[in-house]
Amino acid sequence: MSNKRFMSLLSKEYPDEKAAAMEIVNLSATLSLPKGTEYFFSDLHGEHEAFIHMLKSASGVIREKIDWIFGNESPASREELAQLVYSPEKILEQKSHESNFDNWCRKVIVQLIAVCKESANKYTRAMVRKRLPESYAYIMDELLHETDEANKAHYYEAIINSLVSTGMAPDFIQALSETISKLAVDKLHIVGDVFDRGAHPDYIMEYLINYDNVDFEWGNHDINWMGASLGNWACIANLLRVNIGYNNFDMMEIGYGINLRPLSAFASQTYGNDDCKCFAPKVFDKNKFDPVDMSLAAKMNKAISIIQFKAEAQLTALHPEYHTSHRVFLDKINFKNGTVNIEGKDYPMRDCNFPTVDPDNPFSFSDDEKDVMERLSASFKSSKQLHKHIQFLLSHGSLYRIFNGNLLYHGCMPMTEDGEFAEIDVGGGKTLKGKAYFDYIDCQVRHLFKKTSNDIYAGHLLWYLWSGGKSPLFGKNTITTFQRFFVEDKATHKEPTDPYYKLIADREICLKILKEFGLGENSHIINGHVPVKTKLGENPIKGDGLLFVIDGGMAKSYHSTTGIAGYTLIFNSRYLALAQHQQGETDIGSTPTLQTVEYLPKRLTLADTDDATEILEQIDELKLLIDYYREQN
């Protein structure tokens, strides 16, 4: 009965044997198409302008197509056409004031159609139609399938002239430019850390929600925001500390509607005579709508940092299996001498003003701190925009992903010095390692969002994943936030990394990780998290080509460390390539450097990809439907 019911439902889409047979023909032919191009980005860190530019330019691939198609044009003309695809609003505004604007529109429509055809050549006509903007789908479809027949030439010319005469050409050009960018990227992988440091992760999330075919591998900053959305005080405090420290008030208050007034009032009152110079924000982007005086921002930063240290200390006491006691310092301060004991050594403190810390009970919140956090927690839990974005991270994301022979995860596989998978204490006397540990975390994260809790520490695990020593999203033994604020000696600022980061130089270690996930030597590991210091000669390619670290420092705060502005890994039907992005790439004339890192032994088709499984299942279902029709006759 269930089979008949399924056939009955399927027959509504394919009402007869011929319709089912034709769809089998279409699907079978689709399998012979070249594999679509996958793009891998990591560590976007709120840099919305840089990321969206990279995506719209397909990391320089669109410029390559333009150079190939219009090689006889001047470099300046080709650059202008490329910039039109990347930033249509900007170029259209510039050109709209010129006397020959209408003729320019006619010319670039023809040029953009040529680029669009080249970008669409891996898709069937039906696939292309699905990516066309609804308002212009018919016109674009006609122009994209233009023929050289003399009687059709006037028809296509009439379409373009009508667009110009009705004033629709600029809007059409913008829509066509956006279509080119979408066709150039078949599948988009975000390998962690959309959030923090940069000004607008909210813009990035909103852009990706409206994007076709995107997935996420969660990063530690993403998981921290997920914890904050549940109302976890430690996650909220960490998140606010980071974003106040980078002057991201527009995003927090305007983008996500987080009410920071309780914190600002508390900070102003508590630290009124304290310059809080150790907590002065780093300003890379200015706030347009919610500018905050930097002296007040510094006070807010200190206030939330002290709250963070208290919240983390309480979580540490609740969860001995987290092994984070070495990160607790409020109880190690000598308030009389102005020193703090770190690993048995006393260090002078840069700041000794702690009006909310009781030396006899240093981890307890003051009544005012409790009030601030209750209000902040309510604000995070009630932010519709934030929960919309977090739900998208959950529905389209995972701790790791295996796709088309590649293993994607953000941080690391926790390992021992001798190259074994580390045994992780997950509580209740249970330990896990390798893939089983990854699967456990993914399952636990999803479970947290299936229930509600008023516990101020809801989602403890998410805080641990943000910065825990054996978190596969963090990969460091400690986090030295306290030391960086209060201790001058930079030796205390070091954050030793998991052995993984040294071991992955060895091909055999990379193979071991791949085999743990059921993959072989023709596969790759793709992760980010730790910026590659390119300017010092560090190579993003590890393990003899088996692993790619694609965090090249997209965040402005990392530019001085890496010397570049990020990496993109590109995987098409013929090769894998790394695009090395330059600082200031959004400026006209700046393009990334493309390096082919692996040529494939044969051109891959859709039949060689994971998507083929679903297509083959559809074909089998349609064959059953044909048998069903024949049985009825």
Side-chain angles (χ1 to χ4, degrees):
M1 289 299 294
S2 60
N3 185 53
K4 287 185 178 180
R5 191 176 296 114
F6 174 72
M7 290 301 150
S8 178
L9 290 171
L10 194 60
S11 67
K12 292 180 180 179
E13 189 170 355
Y14 306 101
D16 54 38
E17 184 178 334
K18 182 178 179 181
M22 289 307 300
E23 183 62 10
I24 290 174
V25 171
N26 293 335
L27 290 171
S28 300
T30 298
L31 291 171
S32 64
L33 288 171
K35 170 194 171 297
T37 304
E38 296 173 66
Y39 279 73
F40 303 80
F41 288 89
S42 176
D43 297 87
L44 314 184
H45 285 304
E47 298 291 351
H48 62 291
E49 291 181 346
F51 168 67
I52 292 173
H53 173 84
M54 291 175 190
L55 193 54
K56 285 187 174 182
S57 69
S59 298
V61 170
I62 287 175
R63 176 57 194 269
E64 284 193 336
K65 292 181 185 295
I66 289 171
D67 288 342
W68 181 77
I69 297 168
F70 302 106
N72 294 328
E73 298 273 351
S74 68
S77 176
R78 299 199 302 271
E79 176 61 26
E80 183 181 90
L81 186 61
Q83 291 298 325
L84 178 62
V85 176
Y86 311 159
S87 306
E89 304 95 334
K90 183 191 297 184
I91 302 302
L92 283 164
E93 170 61 23
Q94 293 172 1
K95 290 293 182 179
S96 65
H97 302 294
E98 297 181 5
S99 58
N100 66 339
F101 180 59
D102 286 352
N103 287 333
W104 177 84
C105 286
R106 292 185 180 91
K107 178 182 177 182
V108 298
I109 287 173
V110 173
Q111 291 177 320
L112 290 173
I113 287 294
V115 179
C116 198
K117 282 182 179 180
E118 180 62 25
S119 300
N121 63 12
K122 289 185 178 182
Y123 306 100
T124 65
R125 190 166 180 172
M127 290 176 178
V128 173
R129 279 199 204 102
K130 290 180 180 179
R131 299 200 179 194
L132 299 180
E134 186 176 345
S135 55
Y136 294 113
Y138 173 77
I139 295 174
M140 283 189 188
D141 187 54
E142 288 292 298
L143 292 173
L144 285 172
H145 296 89
E146 175 186 359
T147 66
D148 292 328
E149 297 174 25
N151 60 332
K152 281 289 188 90
H154 295 294
Y155 169 64
Y156 299 125
E157 184 179 349
I159 291 176
I160 295 172
N161 284 334
S162 295
L163 286 167
V164 173
S165 64
T166 58
M168 296 302 295
D171 192 57
F172 182 77
I173 288 169
Q174 182 168 336
L176 191 52
S177 297
E178 292 171 355
T179 300
I180 290 169
S181 293
K182 288 183 177 180
L183 287 169
V185 181
D186 183 60
K187 181 76 172 177
L188 176 61
H189 307 282
I190 308 296
V191 192
D193 281 356
V194 173
F195 290 89
D196 289 337
R197 294 194 179 92
H200 279 293
D202 53 328
Y203 289 1
I204 293 175
M205 288 302 299
E206 201 63 24
Y207 186 85
L208 293 177
I209 282 173
N210 296 302
Y211 201 84
D212 294 324
N213 223 354
V214 59
D215 61 62
F216 301 88
E217 289 66 53
W218 304 320
N220 62 315
H221 287 267
D222 305 324
I223 217 80
N224 193 35
W225 277 77
M226 291 162 74
S229 75
L230 291 174
N232 181 286
W233 285 21
C235 290
I236 289 171
N238 268 288
L239 178 162
L240 291 177
R241 172 187 57 78
V242 171
N243 285 283
I244 291 171
Y246 284 98
N247 192 41
N248 295 333
F249 289 96
D250 273 359
M251 176 270 294
M252 290 185 290
E253 294 209 283
I254 307 301
Y256 286 126
I258 305 301
N259 182 9
L260 297 179
R261 286 187 180 182
L263 177 61
S264 65
F266 167 74
S268 181
Q269 181 179 4
T270 306
Y271 299 101
N273 297 320
D274 188 340
D275 62 14
C276 299
K277 63 180 181 180
C278 299
F279 295 85
K282 301 173 183 178
V283 181
F284 292 97
D285 297 282
K286 293 182 179 180
N287 296 292
K288 295 180 180 179
F289 307 106
D290 190 28
V292 175
D293 179 78
M294 287 298 96
S295 63
L296 175 57
K299 292 176 173 62
M300 294 170 69
N301 197 8
K302 182 174 182 179
I304 201 65
S305 296
I306 300 303
I307 290 172
Q308 172 197 320
F309 300 140
K310 291 181 178 182
E312 291 182 332
Q314 293 185 28
L315 274 178
T316 292
L318 284 171
H319 292 279
E321 74 275 13
Y322 288 172
H323 303 289
T324 52
S325 59
H326 61 292
R327 292 165 39 177
V328 175
F329 295 104
L330 291 180
D331 61 336
K332 298 177 179 65
I333 297 173
N334 186 317
F335 291 90
K336 182 178 179 180
N337 298 335
T339 60
V340 61
N341 188 277
I342 300 174
E343 295 182 0
K345 181 178 179 180
D346 290 332
Y347 293 88
M349 297 188 67
R350 300 165 66 193
D351 184 333
C352 297
N353 183 30
F354 295 96
T356 68
V357 179
D358 178 358
D360 296 325
N361 194 7
F363 308 142
S364 65
F365 295 114
S366 70
D367 290 341
D368 287 339
E369 286 174 326
K370 287 180 182 177
D371 180 65
V372 167
M373 290 309 295
E374 284 168 358
R375 294 187 185 191
L376 286 170
S377 180
S379 195
F380 273 90
K381 290 165 76 173
S382 63
S383 171
K384 292 182 180 179
Q385 187 74 345
L386 174 59
H387 284 272
K388 173 186 172 183
H389 291 172
I390 296 302
Q391 285 302 316
F392 190 69
L393 275 178
L394 280 165
S395 64
H396 288 68
S398 54
L399 185 73
Y400 72 94
R401 186 176 305 272
I402 298 170
F403 192 78
N404 288 343
N406 294 312
L407 172 62
L408 287 61
Y409 53 77
H410 177 68
C412 70
M413 166 64 76
M415 303 192 82
T416 63
E417 292 287 350
D418 57 0
E420 298 299 322
F421 298 137
E423 292 271 1
I424 314 298
D425 182 356
V426 295
K430 183 179 180 181
T431 62
L432 293 171
K433 63 179 180 178
K435 181 177 179 295
Y437 180 47
F438 275 56
D439 289 335
Y440 168 82
I441 290 174
D442 191 283
C443 181
Q444 290 298 308
V445 169
R446 296 184 192 285
H447 177 69
L448 286 170
F449 286 88
K450 292 178 180 178
K451 63 180 182 177
T452 58
S453 173
N454 292 318
D455 180 1
I456 63 170
Y457 294 120
H460 301 194
L461 176 65
L462 300 180
W463 170 75
Y464 178 79
L465 292 174
W466 144 250
S467 60
K470 290 301 179 182
S471 164
L473 300 180
F474 187 60
K476 297 179 184 179
N477 182 51
T478 190
I479 186 168
T480 57
T481 306
F482 181 94
Q483 295 92 313
R484 290 171 189 272
F485 280 139
F486 292 108
V487 181
E488 194 74 47
D489 191 337
K490 292 188 177 180
T492 67
H493 301 179
K494 294 180 181 179
E495 298 176 346
T497 58
D498 191 274
Y500 167 90
Y501 291 102
K502 291 181 180 178
L503 292 168
I504 55 176
D506 186 341
R507 177 181 175 85
E508 291 306 312
I509 291 294
C510 294
L511 273 174
K512 181 175 183 174
I513 296 171
L514 287 168
K515 288 177 182 177
E516 174 72 2
F517 288 87
L519 300 171
E521 61 183 9
N522 293 322
S523 298
H524 307 87
I525 301 166
I526 301 166
N527 73 273
H529 185 54
V530 176
V532 178
K533 299 178 179 65
T534 307
K535 73 175 187 179
L536 300 180
E538 189 175 347
N539 195 330
I541 306 171
K542 313 288 184 181
D544 195 23
L546 290 182
L547 187 147
F548 301 99
V549 180
I550 59 171
D551 180 3
M554 194 181 298
K556 296 184 184 75
S557 57
Y558 283 141
H559 286 186
S560 61
T561 301
T562 63
I564 61 171
Y567 287 110
T568 309
L569 182 67
I570 304 166
F571 179 24
N572 63 23
S573 61
R574 298 184 184 276
Y575 58 76
L576 281 86
L578 273 172
Q580 179 178 297
H581 297 277
Q582 308 306 317
Q583 296 170 25
E585 196 172 288
T586 53
D587 300 331
I588 290 177
S590 180
T591 56
T593 302
L594 283 173
Q595 174 195 359
T596 301
V597 294
E598 182 179 323
Y599 286 101
L600 302 174
K602 70 178 185 70
R603 190 175 193 187
L604 296 181
T605 65
L606 193 56
D608 301 311
T609 69
D610 291 350
D611 288 334
T613 302
E614 184 178 347
I615 294 172
L616 290 170
E617 287 177 354
Q618 291 177 35
I619 290 172
D620 288 340
E621 290 167 356
L622 289 165
K623 288 179 178 178
L624 289 173
L625 180 61
I626 289 174
D627 291 341
Y628 173 76
Y629 280 134
R630 290 173 179 172
E631 287 173 5
Q632 302 306 305
N633 295 330

